[in-house]
Protein backbone atom coordinates (compact mmCIF):
# COMPACT_ATOMS: atom_id res chain seq x y z
CA UNK A 1 0.00 0.00 0.00
CA UNK A 2 2.89 2.33 0.73
CA UNK A 3 4.44 1.78 -2.71
CA UNK A 4 1.50 3.20 -4.64
CA UNK A 5 1.91 6.92 -3.85
CA UNK A 6 5.69 6.78 -4.30
CA UNK A 7 5.42 5.12 -7.71
CA UNK A 8 2.74 7.59 -8.73
CA UNK A 9 5.07 10.42 -7.71
CA UNK A 10 7.90 8.99 -9.83
CA UNK A 11 5.58 8.60 -12.80
CA UNK A 12 4.37 12.16 -12.38
CA UNK A 13 7.96 13.46 -12.34
CA UNK A 14 8.97 11.35 -15.34
CA UNK A 15 5.98 12.63 -17.30
CA UNK A 16 7.56 16.10 -17.27
CA UNK A 17 10.97 15.02 -18.58
CA UNK A 18 11.84 16.11 -22.14
CA UNK A 19 10.98 13.72 -24.93
CA UNK A 20 14.15 14.60 -26.80
CA UNK A 21 17.16 16.89 -26.48
CA UNK A 22 18.84 19.11 -29.04
CA UNK A 23 22.60 19.68 -28.75
CA UNK A 24 24.76 21.89 -30.94
CA UNK A 25 28.48 21.24 -30.51
CA UNK A 26 29.62 24.18 -32.61
CA UNK A 27 30.05 22.06 -35.74
CA UNK A 28 27.42 19.34 -35.35
CA UNK A 29 23.68 19.51 -34.60
CA UNK A 30 22.39 16.49 -32.74
CA UNK A 31 19.01 15.20 -31.66
CA UNK A 32 19.13 12.82 -28.69
CA UNK A 33 16.20 10.46 -28.18
CA UNK A 34 15.57 7.19 -26.43
CA UNK A 35 14.25 5.02 -29.25
CA UNK A 36 14.23 6.40 -32.77
CA UNK A 37 12.13 8.09 -35.41
CA UNK A 38 9.59 7.33 -38.12
CA UNK A 39 8.18 9.05 -41.15
CA UNK A 40 5.33 10.30 -38.94
CA UNK A 41 7.49 12.48 -36.65
CA UNK A 42 6.61 16.17 -36.65
CA UNK A 43 8.86 18.01 -34.18
CA UNK A 44 6.73 21.14 -34.34
CA UNK A 45 3.77 19.09 -33.11
CA UNK A 46 5.93 17.33 -30.50
CA UNK A 47 7.18 20.67 -29.16
CA UNK A 48 3.63 21.93 -28.75
CA UNK A 49 2.05 18.91 -27.03
CA UNK A 50 1.05 18.75 -23.36
CA UNK A 51 3.95 16.68 -22.08
CA UNK A 52 2.49 15.37 -18.82
CA UNK A 53 -0.44 13.72 -20.61
CA UNK A 54 1.95 10.88 -21.51
CA UNK A 55 2.59 8.97 -18.30
CA UNK A 56 2.84 5.60 -20.04
CA UNK A 57 3.93 4.79 -23.58
CA UNK A 58 1.95 1.55 -23.67
CA UNK A 59 -1.27 2.98 -22.23
CA UNK A 60 -2.86 5.78 -24.28
CA UNK A 61 -3.77 9.00 -22.45
CA UNK A 62 -7.35 10.05 -22.05
CA UNK A 63 -8.77 12.24 -24.78
CA UNK A 64 -8.82 15.96 -24.14
CA UNK A 65 -12.57 15.66 -24.61
CA UNK A 66 -12.70 13.51 -21.47
CA UNK A 67 -13.33 10.12 -23.01
CA UNK A 68 -11.15 7.09 -23.65
CA UNK A 69 -11.41 7.34 -27.43
CA UNK A 70 -8.70 9.49 -28.96
CA UNK A 71 -9.42 11.81 -31.85
CA UNK A 72 -7.44 11.17 -35.08
CA UNK A 73 -5.11 14.07 -34.22
CA UNK A 74 -4.57 12.75 -30.69
CA UNK A 75 -3.96 9.23 -31.95
CA UNK A 76 -1.37 10.53 -34.42
CA UNK A 77 0.39 12.39 -31.62
CA UNK A 78 0.38 9.28 -29.42
CA UNK A 79 1.87 7.16 -32.25
CA UNK A 80 4.67 9.69 -32.66
CA UNK A 81 5.50 9.42 -28.94
CA UNK A 82 5.64 5.64 -29.27
CA UNK A 83 8.00 5.92 -32.24
CA UNK A 84 10.34 8.32 -30.42
CA UNK A 85 10.58 5.97 -27.44
CA UNK A 86 10.46 2.51 -29.02
CA UNK A 87 11.61 2.59 -32.66
CA UNK A 88 14.85 0.94 -33.86
CA UNK A 89 17.01 1.18 -36.99
CA UNK A 90 15.84 -1.52 -39.38
CA UNK A 91 17.91 -4.64 -38.61
CA UNK A 92 17.58 -5.85 -42.22
CA UNK A 93 18.62 -2.55 -43.78
CA UNK A 94 15.25 -2.01 -45.46
CA UNK A 95 14.13 1.41 -46.63
CA UNK A 96 11.19 3.34 -45.24
CA UNK A 97 9.30 2.39 -42.10
CA UNK A 98 7.58 -0.83 -41.11
CA UNK A 99 6.11 -2.36 -37.98
CA UNK A 100 8.66 -3.14 -35.29
CA UNK A 101 8.05 -6.89 -35.07
CA UNK A 102 10.58 -7.36 -32.26
CA UNK A 103 8.74 -5.07 -29.86
CA UNK A 104 5.24 -5.21 -31.35
CA UNK A 105 5.10 -1.43 -30.92
CA UNK A 106 6.53 1.53 -32.88
CA UNK A 107 8.58 1.03 -36.06
CA UNK A 108 11.75 -0.10 -37.78
CA UNK A 109 13.14 2.86 -39.74
CA UNK A 110 15.53 2.81 -42.67
CA UNK A 111 18.52 4.94 -43.66
CA UNK A 112 16.38 6.92 -46.10
CA UNK A 113 13.99 7.86 -43.27
CA UNK A 114 16.96 9.06 -41.23
CA UNK A 115 18.33 11.09 -44.13
CA UNK A 116 14.98 12.75 -44.84
CA UNK A 117 14.40 13.52 -41.16
CA UNK A 118 17.84 15.10 -40.66
CA UNK A 119 17.48 17.17 -43.84
CA UNK A 120 14.01 18.38 -42.88
CA UNK A 121 15.14 19.65 -39.46
CA UNK A 122 18.67 20.73 -40.41
CA UNK A 123 20.30 18.15 -38.12
CA UNK A 124 23.59 16.27 -38.44
CA UNK A 125 22.86 13.02 -36.63
CA UNK A 126 20.73 11.06 -34.17
CA UNK A 127 22.07 9.70 -30.89
CA UNK A 128 19.80 7.13 -29.26
CA UNK A 129 19.86 4.24 -26.79
CA UNK A 130 17.25 1.51 -26.24
CA UNK A 131 19.30 -1.42 -27.58
CA UNK A 132 22.08 -3.53 -26.04
CA UNK A 133 25.21 -3.49 -28.21
CA UNK A 134 28.17 -5.87 -27.78
CA UNK A 135 30.70 -3.02 -27.82
CA UNK A 136 28.42 -0.62 -25.95
CA UNK A 137 27.74 1.45 -29.06
CA UNK A 138 27.05 1.09 -32.77
CA UNK A 139 26.93 3.38 -35.80
CA UNK A 140 24.24 2.76 -38.44
CA UNK A 141 22.72 4.57 -41.41
CA UNK A 142 26.03 5.86 -42.82
CA UNK A 143 27.14 6.95 -39.33
CA UNK A 144 24.14 9.24 -39.03
CA UNK A 145 22.66 7.17 -36.17
CA UNK A 146 24.72 6.37 -33.08
CA UNK A 147 23.31 3.91 -30.56
CA UNK A 148 24.86 4.18 -27.08
CA UNK A 149 24.03 1.74 -24.28
CA UNK A 150 25.60 2.64 -20.95
CA UNK A 151 24.98 -0.55 -18.92
CA UNK A 152 27.68 -3.20 -19.25
CA UNK A 153 26.86 -6.86 -18.53
CA UNK A 154 23.21 -5.99 -19.00
CA UNK A 155 20.85 -8.62 -17.68
CA UNK A 156 23.82 -10.90 -16.87
CA UNK A 157 25.08 -10.56 -20.43
CA UNK A 158 28.60 -9.94 -21.68
CA UNK A 159 28.14 -6.62 -23.46
CA UNK A 160 30.30 -3.57 -22.91
CA UNK A 161 28.81 -0.27 -21.84
CA UNK A 162 29.63 3.11 -23.39
CA UNK A 163 29.16 6.84 -23.00
CA UNK A 164 29.72 9.66 -25.47
CA UNK A 165 31.72 12.80 -24.79
CA UNK A 166 31.51 15.47 -27.47
CA UNK A 167 33.88 18.38 -26.98
CA UNK A 168 32.89 21.80 -28.25
CA UNK A 169 33.84 22.49 -31.89
CA UNK A 170 34.94 18.90 -32.48
CA UNK A 171 33.66 17.12 -35.58
CA UNK A 172 33.60 13.63 -34.04
CA UNK A 173 32.65 12.37 -30.57
CA UNK A 174 34.86 10.60 -28.08
CA UNK A 175 33.21 7.25 -27.31
CA UNK A 176 34.28 5.66 -24.04
CA UNK A 177 33.62 1.91 -23.76
CA UNK A 178 33.95 0.02 -20.51
CA UNK A 179 33.14 -3.27 -18.90
CA UNK A 180 33.03 -3.88 -15.19
CA UNK A 181 33.47 -7.12 -13.31
CA UNK A 182 31.64 -7.57 -10.03
CA UNK A 183 33.58 -7.60 -6.78
CA UNK A 184 32.87 -10.77 -4.82
CA UNK A 185 31.55 -9.10 -1.72
CA UNK A 186 31.21 -12.37 0.17
CA UNK A 187 35.00 -12.73 0.31
CA UNK A 188 35.54 -9.33 1.89
CA UNK A 189 35.67 -8.48 5.57
CA UNK A 190 32.81 -6.49 6.99
CA UNK A 191 34.89 -3.29 7.10
CA UNK A 192 35.91 -3.68 3.47
CA UNK A 193 32.36 -4.38 2.41
CA UNK A 194 31.25 -1.17 4.09
CA UNK A 195 34.13 0.72 2.49
CA UNK A 196 33.28 -0.42 -1.04
CA UNK A 197 29.58 0.05 -0.45
CA UNK A 198 29.97 3.59 0.86
CA UNK A 199 32.52 4.68 -1.74
CA UNK A 200 31.31 3.61 -5.19
CA UNK A 201 34.18 5.52 -6.83
CA UNK A 202 36.68 3.10 -5.27
CA UNK A 203 34.44 0.19 -6.22
CA UNK A 204 34.30 1.30 -9.83
CA UNK A 205 38.04 1.88 -10.02
CA UNK A 206 38.79 -1.58 -8.62
CA UNK A 207 36.55 -3.16 -11.24
CA UNK A 208 38.15 -1.20 -14.06
CA UNK A 209 41.66 -2.10 -12.99
CA UNK A 210 40.86 -5.80 -12.75
CA UNK A 211 39.00 -5.82 -16.07
CA UNK A 212 41.91 -4.17 -17.87
CA UNK A 213 44.82 -5.77 -15.97
CA UNK A 214 46.34 -7.58 -18.97
CA UNK A 215 46.06 -4.57 -21.27
CA UNK A 216 47.62 -2.28 -18.67
CA UNK A 217 50.56 -4.62 -18.04
CA UNK A 218 51.15 -5.00 -21.77
CA UNK A 219 51.25 -1.24 -22.32
CA UNK A 220 53.43 -0.67 -19.24
CA UNK A 221 55.95 -3.24 -20.47
CA UNK A 222 55.94 -1.86 -24.03
CA UNK A 223 56.67 1.62 -22.71
CA UNK A 224 59.42 0.32 -20.42
CA UNK A 225 61.93 -0.06 -23.26
CA UNK A 226 64.92 -0.48 -20.93
CA UNK A 227 63.13 -3.05 -18.76
CA UNK A 228 63.72 -1.13 -15.54
CA UNK A 229 60.25 -1.86 -14.12
CA UNK A 230 59.86 1.91 -13.90
CA UNK A 231 57.89 4.46 -15.89
CA UNK A 232 57.81 8.22 -15.72
CA UNK A 233 54.73 9.73 -14.18
CA UNK A 234 53.72 11.16 -17.53
CA UNK A 235 54.01 7.82 -19.36
CA UNK A 236 52.20 5.94 -16.58
CA UNK A 237 49.40 8.52 -16.42
CA UNK A 238 48.90 8.49 -20.18
CA UNK A 239 48.62 4.70 -20.25
CA UNK A 240 46.16 4.71 -17.34
CA UNK A 241 43.96 7.27 -19.11
CA UNK A 242 44.24 5.57 -22.49
CA UNK A 243 43.45 2.03 -21.35
CA UNK A 244 40.89 2.79 -18.64
CA UNK A 245 39.29 5.63 -20.63
CA UNK A 246 38.82 7.54 -17.38
CA UNK A 247 39.90 11.15 -17.05
CA UNK A 248 41.19 11.14 -13.45
CA UNK A 249 44.05 13.15 -11.89
CA UNK A 250 46.54 10.29 -11.72
CA UNK A 251 49.20 12.66 -10.42
CA UNK A 252 47.31 12.95 -7.16
CA UNK A 253 45.94 9.41 -7.03
CA UNK A 254 49.24 7.60 -7.63
CA UNK A 255 49.99 7.37 -3.89
CA UNK A 256 46.84 5.29 -3.44
CA UNK A 257 47.62 3.05 -6.41
CA UNK A 258 51.34 2.44 -6.91
CA UNK A 259 54.74 2.77 -5.31
CA UNK A 260 57.43 5.07 -6.66
CA UNK A 261 61.07 5.93 -6.03
CA UNK A 262 63.65 8.31 -7.47
CA UNK A 263 63.54 6.43 -10.81
CA UNK A 264 59.78 6.87 -11.24
CA UNK A 265 56.63 4.77 -10.96
CA UNK A 266 57.06 1.09 -10.07
CA UNK A 267 54.21 0.09 -12.36
CA UNK A 268 54.06 -3.57 -11.32
CA UNK A 269 53.04 -2.55 -7.80
CA UNK A 270 49.65 -1.62 -9.21
CA UNK A 271 48.88 -5.35 -9.12
CA UNK A 272 51.41 -6.80 -6.63
CA UNK A 273 49.48 -9.06 -4.29
CA UNK A 274 46.36 -7.40 -5.55
CA UNK A 275 43.06 -9.24 -5.42
CA UNK A 276 39.54 -8.01 -5.23
CA UNK A 277 39.72 -8.01 -1.45
CA UNK A 278 43.05 -6.15 -1.28
CA UNK A 279 43.24 -3.47 1.40
CA UNK A 280 44.88 -1.07 -1.03
CA UNK A 281 41.47 0.32 -1.87
CA UNK A 282 40.16 0.40 1.67
CA UNK A 283 39.69 3.93 2.92
CA UNK A 284 42.03 4.53 5.85
CA UNK A 285 41.20 8.21 6.15
CA UNK A 286 39.00 9.71 3.48
CA UNK A 287 37.27 8.46 0.36
CA UNK A 288 38.37 9.14 -3.17
CA UNK A 289 35.60 11.64 -3.79
CA UNK A 290 36.67 13.72 -0.81
CA UNK A 291 40.28 13.61 -2.00
CA UNK A 292 39.35 14.77 -5.48
CA UNK A 293 36.85 17.47 -4.60
CA UNK A 294 38.06 19.15 -1.43
CA UNK A 295 36.65 22.52 -2.46
CA UNK A 296 34.52 21.35 -5.36
CA UNK A 297 31.53 23.70 -4.99
CA UNK A 298 33.60 26.86 -4.56
CA UNK A 299 36.03 25.97 -7.35
CA UNK A 300 33.24 25.03 -9.76
CA UNK A 301 31.77 28.51 -9.31
CA UNK A 302 35.19 30.05 -9.87
CA UNK A 303 35.80 27.93 -12.97
CA UNK A 304 32.48 29.00 -14.50
CA UNK A 305 33.20 32.65 -13.77
CA UNK A 306 36.56 32.46 -15.55
CA UNK A 307 35.06 30.43 -18.42
CA UNK A 308 32.88 33.36 -19.42
CA UNK A 309 31.96 31.96 -22.86
CA UNK A 310 30.83 28.66 -21.23
CA UNK A 311 32.84 26.47 -23.59
CA UNK A 312 33.76 24.02 -20.83
CA UNK A 313 37.41 25.08 -21.03
CA UNK A 314 39.44 28.03 -19.77
CA UNK A 315 41.44 29.52 -22.61
CA UNK A 316 44.66 31.45 -22.14
CA UNK A 317 42.80 34.71 -22.85
CA UNK A 318 40.13 33.97 -20.24
CA UNK A 319 42.79 33.04 -17.70
CA UNK A 320 44.76 36.18 -18.56
CA UNK A 321 41.68 38.38 -18.10
CA UNK A 322 40.99 37.08 -14.58
CA UNK A 323 44.67 37.38 -13.57
CA UNK A 324 44.72 40.98 -14.80
CA UNK A 325 41.52 41.72 -12.92
CA UNK A 326 42.96 40.36 -9.68
CA UNK A 327 46.31 42.10 -10.05
CA UNK A 328 44.83 45.44 -11.06
CA UNK A 329 42.34 45.21 -8.22
CA UNK A 330 45.10 44.53 -5.68
CA UNK A 331 47.86 46.86 -6.89
CA UNK A 332 45.94 49.55 -8.77
CA UNK A 333 48.04 49.17 -11.89
CA UNK A 334 47.48 47.78 -15.36
CA UNK A 335 51.05 46.54 -15.72
CA UNK A 336 50.79 42.76 -15.99
CA UNK A 337 53.70 40.38 -16.54
CA UNK A 338 52.61 38.34 -19.57
CA UNK A 339 55.38 35.81 -18.96
CA UNK A 340 53.96 35.21 -15.47
CA UNK A 341 50.51 34.54 -16.90
CA UNK A 342 51.98 32.22 -19.52
CA UNK A 343 53.84 30.29 -16.84
CA UNK A 344 50.70 29.85 -14.73
CA UNK A 345 48.64 28.78 -17.72
CA UNK A 346 51.19 26.18 -18.82
CA UNK A 347 51.50 24.87 -15.26
CA UNK A 348 47.74 24.24 -15.03
CA UNK A 349 47.44 22.81 -18.56
CA UNK A 350 48.58 19.29 -17.67
CA UNK A 351 47.87 17.69 -21.04
CA UNK A 352 49.36 20.67 -22.91
CA UNK A 353 46.46 21.07 -25.32
CA UNK A 354 46.31 24.85 -24.91
CA UNK A 355 43.26 24.97 -22.64
CA UNK A 356 42.38 24.16 -19.04
CA UNK A 357 39.47 21.83 -18.37
CA UNK A 358 37.67 21.42 -15.05
CA UNK A 359 39.78 18.41 -14.02
CA UNK A 360 43.03 20.30 -14.57
CA UNK A 361 41.62 23.32 -12.74
CA UNK A 362 40.57 21.31 -9.68
CA UNK A 363 43.81 19.35 -9.64
CA UNK A 364 45.90 22.54 -9.59
CA UNK A 365 44.30 23.50 -6.31
CA UNK A 366 44.54 19.97 -4.94
CA UNK A 367 48.29 19.83 -5.66
CA UNK A 368 48.77 23.07 -3.74
CA UNK A 369 46.78 21.66 -0.84
CA UNK A 370 48.71 18.37 -0.79
CA UNK A 371 52.09 20.09 -0.93
CA UNK A 372 51.16 22.51 1.81
CA UNK A 373 49.68 19.77 4.02
CA UNK A 374 52.87 17.68 3.73
CA UNK A 375 55.06 20.55 4.94
CA UNK A 376 56.72 20.79 8.37
CA UNK A 377 54.01 23.01 9.82
CA UNK A 378 51.07 21.00 8.56
CA UNK A 379 49.43 20.88 12.00
CA UNK A 380 49.82 24.58 12.75
CA UNK A 381 46.87 26.74 11.69
CA UNK A 382 46.27 24.32 8.81
CA UNK A 383 43.13 25.81 7.23
CA UNK A 384 44.47 29.36 7.28
CA UNK A 385 47.89 28.41 5.91
CA UNK A 386 46.36 26.24 3.21
CA UNK A 387 44.04 28.96 1.91
CA UNK A 388 46.84 31.52 1.85
CA UNK A 389 49.13 29.16 -0.01
CA UNK A 390 46.45 28.44 -2.57
CA UNK A 391 45.97 32.11 -3.32
CA UNK A 392 49.66 32.79 -3.80
CA UNK A 393 50.38 29.68 -5.85
CA UNK A 394 47.35 29.56 -8.14
CA UNK A 395 47.09 33.27 -8.78
Amino acid sequence: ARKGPILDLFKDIFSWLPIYSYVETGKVKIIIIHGGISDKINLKQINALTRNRYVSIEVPPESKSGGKRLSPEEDNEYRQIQDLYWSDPDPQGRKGCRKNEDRNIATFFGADTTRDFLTKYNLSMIIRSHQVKPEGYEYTHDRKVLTVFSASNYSKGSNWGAIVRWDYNEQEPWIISYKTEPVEMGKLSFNKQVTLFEDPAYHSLVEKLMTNKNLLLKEFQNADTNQTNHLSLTAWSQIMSSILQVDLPWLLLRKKLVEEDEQGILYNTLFDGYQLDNTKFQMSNTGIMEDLYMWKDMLMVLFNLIDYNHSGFISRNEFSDIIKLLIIGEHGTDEVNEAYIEELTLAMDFDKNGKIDINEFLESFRIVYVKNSDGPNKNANKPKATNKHIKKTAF
Side-chain angles (χ1 to χ4, degrees), residues 202-217:
Y202 269 99
H203 195 160
S204 177
L205 193 53
V206 169
E207 292 175 341
K208 274 192 170 295
L209 287 169
M210 291 303 293
T211 301
N212 294 279
K213 178 179 178 180
N214 291 335
L215 284 174
L216 285 167
L217 281 175

Side-chain angles (χ1 to χ4, degrees), residues 33 82 85 120 131 143 158 172 293 309 314 341 382:
I33 51 183
Q82 288 185 328
Y85 275 99
K120 179 178 180 180
Q131 284 182 296
R143 296 179 68 85
S158 58
E172 295 287 336
Y293 300 105
N309 68 353
I314 295 175
I341 293 177
K382 183 175 180 180

Side-chain angles (χ1 to χ4, degrees), residues 70-105:
L70 299 179
S71 68
E73 293 78 13
E74 290 173 329
D75 183 71
N76 175 266
E77 182 179 281
Y78 172 54
R79 300 296 176 186
Q80 290 186 56
I81 297 292
Q82 288 185 328
D83 289 342
L84 289 169
Y85 275 99
W86 287 81
S87 290
D88 300 302
D90 198 303
Q92 298 180 18
R94 298 184 187 180
K95 294 182 178 181
C97 292
R98 61 189 177 96
K99 181 179 178 181
N100 192 322
E101 298 166 347
D102 292 346
R103 304 185 188 279
N104 203 31
I105 190 173

Side-chain angles (χ1 to χ4, degrees), residues 362-382:
L362 292 176
E363 185 170 342
S364 299
F365 284 87
R366 288 191 294 267
I367 292 170
V368 172
Y369 173 78
V370 170
K371 286 182 177 178
N372 191 67
S373 299
D374 289 342
N377 298 319
K378 64 181 179 180
N379 294 322
N381 300 318
K382 183 175 180 180

Side-chain angles (χ1 to χ4, degrees), residues 219-234:
E219 290 301 314
F220 290 154
Q221 291 162 0
N222 288 340
D224 181 18
T225 54
N226 295 324
Q227 297 182 342
T228 64
N229 293 320
H230 289 80
L231 287 176
S232 68
L233 174 59
T234 300

Side-chain angles (χ1 to χ4, degrees), residues 185-379:
M185 299 295 285
K187 295 182 179 180
L188 305 183
S189 68
F190 175 76
N191 287 339
K192 293 174 190 174
Q193 288 186 35
V194 171
T195 293
L196 287 174
F197 180 75
E198 290 184 345
D199 196 340
Y202 269 99
H203 195 160
S204 177
L205 193 53
V206 169
E207 292 175 341
K208 274 192 170 295
L209 287 169
M210 291 303 293
T211 301
N212 294 279
K213 178 179 178 180
N214 291 335
L215 284 174
L216 285 167
L217 281 175
K218 180 180 179 181
E219 290 301 314
F220 290 154
Q221 291 162 0
N222 288 340
D224 181 18
T225 54
N226 295 324
Q227 297 182 342
T228 64
N229 293 320
H230 289 80
L231 287 176
S232 68
L233 174 59
T234 300
W236 178 78
S237 299
Q238 288 175 347
I239 291 171
M240 293 289 282
S241 295
S242 174
I243 298 299
L244 299 181
Q245 291 289 292
V246 177
D247 191 12
L248 286 176
W250 304 111
L251 179 67
L252 180 67
L253 294 181
R254 70 186 189 280
K255 292 182 179 180
K256 291 181 178 290
L257 303 175
V258 290
E259 297 177 14
E260 60 181 318
D261 57 25
E262 63 278 1
Q263 291 182 262
I265 299 290
L266 289 153
Y267 57 83
N268 281 322
T269 60
L270 183 65
F271 303 104
D272 277 358
Y274 177 68
Q275 308 211 351
L276 290 183
D277 61 350
N278 192 298
T279 58
K280 186 181 294 183
F281 290 92
Q282 183 174 346
M283 290 183 294
S284 57
N285 295 303
T286 57
I288 191 172
M289 298 310 290
E290 186 175 345
D291 288 338
L292 297 182
Y293 300 105
M294 188 66 66
W295 302 284
K296 174 178 173 290
D297 293 339
M298 178 188 72
L299 293 176
M300 286 290 289
V301 172
L302 180 58
F303 181 89
N304 288 323
L305 286 173
I306 300 174
D307 178 26
Y308 51 73
N309 68 353
H310 305 297
S311 67
F313 299 94
I314 295 175
S315 67
R316 187 201 177 284
N317 289 338
E318 289 173 325
F319 194 66
S320 175
D321 288 345
I322 197 67
I323 294 295
K324 290 177 181 178
L325 180 64
L326 291 171
I327 292 177
I328 292 171
E330 184 174 350
H331 301 292
T333 175
D334 58 359
E335 295 181 4
V336 177
N337 188 328
E338 292 293 336
Y340 171 67
I341 293 177
E342 188 70 24
E343 182 181 354
L344 282 176
T345 306
L346 289 173
M348 298 179 75
D349 182 16
F350 293 111
D351 60 9
K352 307 305 177 190
N353 67 349
K355 53 191 176 183
I356 301 166
D357 64 27
I358 185 61
N359 291 316
E360 292 170 324
F361 187 75
L362 292 176
E363 185 170 342
S364 299
F365 284 87
R366 288 191 294 267
I367 292 170
V368 172
Y369 173 78
V370 170
K371 286 182 177 178
N372 191 67
S373 299
D374 289 342
N377 298 319
K378 64 181 179 180
N379 294 322

